[in-house]
Each structure stands twice: as structure tokens, then as C-alpha cells.
């Protein structure tokens, strides 16, 4: 985001959001006159740091060049990042607040359409030991996780197509109970593929869209897919008429399977979706906003966690050396899974959100909300960055 600052430690920030030790702050234009001004351009980087000192301080990064640049404060030996400003526009100045411990530092500038420049090395001494920075994740680091996730989704779509077949068959033979059971199986298969939704394009709306924004609501011709079929199955619609809805769902699933073979999940989506999936579950599933009659929102939320777990598993080699709180995330994942599993009845059905007891609802909402917070840093840590 233009004008944003990411730093491991930030002091005196206005509008600061701190998540698991990583601070993200949005700063206004302007700078304090007493802070050192660091010059940034296509030809030089980091000029102006003449008095290295430990502790809390602010660098005023001034882009004297003609193109936008990203600026990192790094350990020049390892490339570990201790502060970052993105989108530093030509002719603008942004503050970078940091707290520096003992060690060597340099500014690395990454101008648009130009190679990285690493400025002069400054040594800070006489202060506290340096805290942890974050090693940047590159596109190369994400090649193997993306390959693994792509294969997972490809196999998941095979299962999806296979699971939708029994739904269509049950509808056509007039077996409402059978169609309802098969619908849930197929819908949960789809809900486990959360980090790939952006790569699905328009197919996601066709398969899993809601009535949001449709003037005709549940009768709108644009209302298709799982939720349209859910509405009909649980509201007593004629199964003969629902045959066309089931056929379209089946056709759309096959189309997605074919198109995904020529698509690619964006590397930036893996870490981003891990957080967004749970955030969306909190907003839509735990409120019942996407319930069209089946009362299975909590089953959907549980399937969403399976999808998040897959993302964490493929990203683990990238996250483990960069995110000390990963074990805490793992603990909250298990805790939240257990809370949601408690809503599954002995006969395999799920308690609708509206039928939860107050303590159950508070427990589930609290655990999902906390898990959302715990997952938030992963989006920033796993975002692929330039280093050259």
C-alpha cells in the first residue's frame, strides 16, 4: 500500500497495528526536522546516515529520484530485514521508525525497473542486543509450496467433480434426503480449497455465489451453484425443477476443473488467504449469513480450517525459520478445530448457528477470532519480495 511502513519494532507510531511482533503502520506525509534524512535514488541508496546509534529513532527516507522505490533496512551480511517502506514515490519523504540493537546495517533500495542498490554499511554499538528481523521471502522460495498446493487443488477438483455426481443423481431420482447428504459432502470439498479461489475466477461465483447484489434474491437467474441448490433442497422445491440447477452445478464444476489446469495460484495468495479464509468464516459462517436452509455453517467453517491447514503445511518450510509464533498458530488451530467439532452431533449432523447455546457460541466465536489474529502476520511474512 502506498505510504505504508512495515517494521519489526516501531516506536511512537500513530495508527499502529502490532500483530505478533510485526508492526504495520500508515504514516502521513512530512517528517521531523531533527531526524536524519536518508537519500534514495536509482543511482545511490542510504546516503545521509552519519551518526549510527542504538535505540529508538526515525529515518526520513527522501526519494530524490524519478521512480517509486521500496526501501529496506537490512543486515548486509544476511539480508534480514529490520524495517521496510513500500511505495516511496518520487520526490516524497516518509518516516521509517525503528529500534536498533547492536550490529551492522545498510539500506537496500529497490527502484522500479532497476536493480537493487545496497548503501554503505553502518555499525551500531553500545546498545542492547539486536532483536530478530525477518528474512524476505522470494518467488524462488515459494516455487515448491506453490507446486505442492497446485497439485493439492488439482486433486481436490477431481474429488469435487466426483462428489457432485451423487448430488445430481439423487436430485434426478427424487431422493431429497440423499441429495441433501450428498450436497453437504460436495460443498465441504469445495470449501477446503480456499486459497485457490482467486485463481478460480468467475467459476467461484457460479459454484458458490450468494444472493448478495442480486436484485431478484433467491429467484434471480444469476443465483446458481451450491447455495441455489441448498435453498431448493431445504425449502421443499420440486426436485424435478431442481434437476436443471444440479446439472448446471455439475457442468460448472467440470468447467472449473478444465480451466484450472491452465491456471496458476498466485504466490501472494498463499499467505494472504490463510488469514482471509478464517476472517471470512468469522464474518459469514459464524453469523449464519450464508445459510440458505441447511444449517451447516459450522461444518463449512470446519472445512475452511482444513483448507487453512493445507496452506500452513505447504508454507511451513518458509514460515518455520521466519515466524517464531508458528507453534502458537498450530495450537490455536487445534483448539479451534476442537471447538467447531463440538457442534457436530452424534448422528453426524451439525448444530445450526442459531441453535448453539450461549457458552458454545461465545467459545467458538472467541476461538475463531483469536485464530484470525494469530494468522494475520503470515500474509506479510510470506509475501514475495524483491531482493535484487
Amino acid at each position: 500500500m502506498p505510504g505504508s511502513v512495515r517494521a519489526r519494532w516501531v516506536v511512537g507510531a500513530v495508527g499502529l497495528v502490532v500483530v505478533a511482533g510485526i508492526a504495520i503502520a500508515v504514516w502521513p506525509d512530512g517528517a521531523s526536522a531533527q531526524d536524519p534524512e536518508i537519500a534514495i535514488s536509482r543511482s545511490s541508496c542510504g546516503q545521509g546516515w552519519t551518526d549510527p546509534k542504538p535505540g529508538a529513532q526515525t529515518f526520513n527516507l527522501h526519494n530524490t529520484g524519478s521512480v517509486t522505490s521500496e526501501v529496506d533496512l537490512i543486515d548486509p551480511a544476511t539480508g534480514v530485514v529490520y524495517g521496510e517502506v513500500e511505495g516511496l514515490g518520487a520526490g516524497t519523504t516518509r518516516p521509517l521508525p525503528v529500534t536498533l540493537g547492536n550490529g551492522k546495517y545498510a539500506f537496500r533500495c529497490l527502484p522500479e525497473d532497476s536493480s537493487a542498490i545496497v548503501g554503505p554499511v553502518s555499525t551500531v554499538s553500545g546498545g542492547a542486543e539486536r532483536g530478530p528481523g525477518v528474512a524476505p521471502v522470494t518467488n524462488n522460495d515459494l516455487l515448491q509450496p506453490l507446486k505442492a498446493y497446485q497439485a493439492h487443488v488439482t486433486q481436490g477438483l477431481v474429488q469435487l467433480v466426483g462428489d457432485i455426481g451423487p448430488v445430481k443423481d439423487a436430485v434426478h431420482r427424487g431422493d431429497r434426503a440423499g441429495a441433501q447428504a450428498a450436497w453437504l459432502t460436495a460443498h465441504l470439498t469445495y470449501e477446503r480449497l480456499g486459497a485457490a479461489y482467486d485463481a478460480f475466477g468467475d467459476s467461484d461465483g457460479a459454484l458458490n455465489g450468494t444472493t448478495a447484489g442480486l436484485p431478484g434474491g433467491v429467484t434471480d437467474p444469476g443465483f446458481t451453484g451450491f447455495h441455489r441448490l441448498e435453498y431448493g433442497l431445504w425449502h421443499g422445491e420440486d426436485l424435478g425443477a431442481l434437476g436443471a440447477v444440479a446439472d448446471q452445478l455439475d457442468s460448472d464444476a467440470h468447467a472449473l476443473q478444465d480451466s484450472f489446469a491452465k491456471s496458476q495460484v498466485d504466490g501472494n495468495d498463499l499467505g494472504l488467504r490463510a488469514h482471509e479464509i478464517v476472517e471470512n468464516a468469522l464474518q459469514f459462517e459464524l453469523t449464519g449469513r450464508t445459510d440458505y436452509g441447511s444449517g451447516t455453517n459450522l461444518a463449512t467453517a470446519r472445512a475452511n480450517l482444513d483448507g487453512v491447514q493445507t496452506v500452513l503445511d505447504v508454507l511451513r518450510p518458509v514460515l518455520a525459520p521466519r515466524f517464531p509464533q508458528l507453534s502458537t498458530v498450530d495450537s490455536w488451530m487445534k483448539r479451534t478445530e476442537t471447538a467447531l467439532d463440538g457442534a457436530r452431533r452424534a448422528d453426524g449432523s451439525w448444530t445450526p448457528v442459531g441453535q448453539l447455546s450461549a457458552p458454545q457460541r461465545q467459545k467458538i466465536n472467541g476461538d475463531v477470532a483469536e485464530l484470525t489474529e494469530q494468522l494475520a502476520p503470515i500474509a506479510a511474512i510470506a509475501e514475495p519480495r524483491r531482493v535484487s
Side-chain angles (χ1 to χ4, degrees), residues 334-374:
K334 290 183 176 63
R335 174 171 173 163
T336 309
E337 288 168 358
T338 300
L340 287 168
D341 286 341
R344 187 169 189 174
R345 297 161 173 159
D347 63 359
S349 65
W350 289 79
T351 305
V353 170
Q355 295 179 21
L356 291 171
S357 67
Q360 275 182 305
R361 191 159 191 168
Q362 289 170 2
K363 167 69 172 169
I364 290 173
N365 286 350
D367 286 353
V368 174
E370 180 60 29
L371 178 60
T372 303
E373 293 299 315
Q374 293 292 333

Side-chain angles (χ1 to χ4, degrees), residues 39-59:
I40 306 300
S41 73
R42 267 184 166 172
S43 58
S44 66
C45 179
Q47 306 298 324
W49 191 6
T50 59
D51 182 25
K53 59 185 179 181
Q57 54 202 284
T58 298
F59 297 107

Side-chain angles (χ1 to χ4, degrees), residues 100 205 226 241 275 321 330:
L100 301 182
F226 279 111
H275 171 255
D330 290 337

Side-chain angles (χ1 to χ4, degrees), residues 7-85:
R8 188 66 184 179
W9 310 108
V10 176
V11 177
V14 178
L16 179 65
V17 178
V18 180
V19 186
I22 296 174
I24 301 173
V26 177
W27 295 85
D29 287 322
S32 173
Q34 67 266 28
D35 296 324
E37 181 172 286
I38 308 299
I40 306 300
S41 73
R42 267 184 166 172
S43 58
S44 66
C45 179
Q47 306 298 324
W49 191 6
T50 59
D51 182 25
K53 59 185 179 181
Q57 54 202 284
T58 298
F59 297 107
N60 294 320
L61 306 181
H62 178 54
N63 187 347
T64 63
S66 58
V67 298
T68 299
S69 182
E70 178 180 320
V71 186
D72 301 330
L73 181 63
I74 65 171
D75 179 331
T78 64
V80 167
V81 178
Y82 291 91
E84 178 185 63
V85 170

Side-chain angles (χ1 to χ4, degrees), residues 286-331:
L286 300 193
T287 60
R289 288 172 60 183
T290 51
D291 181 11
Y292 286 88
S294 67
T296 58
N297 288 98
L298 297 179
T300 298
R302 183 62 178 82
N304 292 158
L305 290 192
D306 289 338
V308 172
Q309 188 61 61
T310 300
V311 173
L312 292 177
D313 289 343
V314 299
L315 281 177
R316 196 167 295 274
V318 172
L319 294 175
R322 295 174 171 85
F323 188 35
Q325 292 84 6
L326 186 57
S327 60
T328 303
V329 171
D330 290 337
S331 296

Side-chain angles (χ1 to χ4, degrees), residues 9 13 41 44 58 103 118 123 140 146 162 216 229 247 255 263 266 279 296 312 320:
W9 310 108
S41 73
S44 66
T58 298
V118 177
T123 301
N140 283 342
L146 276 172
L229 190 56
D247 289 344
S263 301
D266 191 306
E279 188 175 51
T296 58
L312 292 177

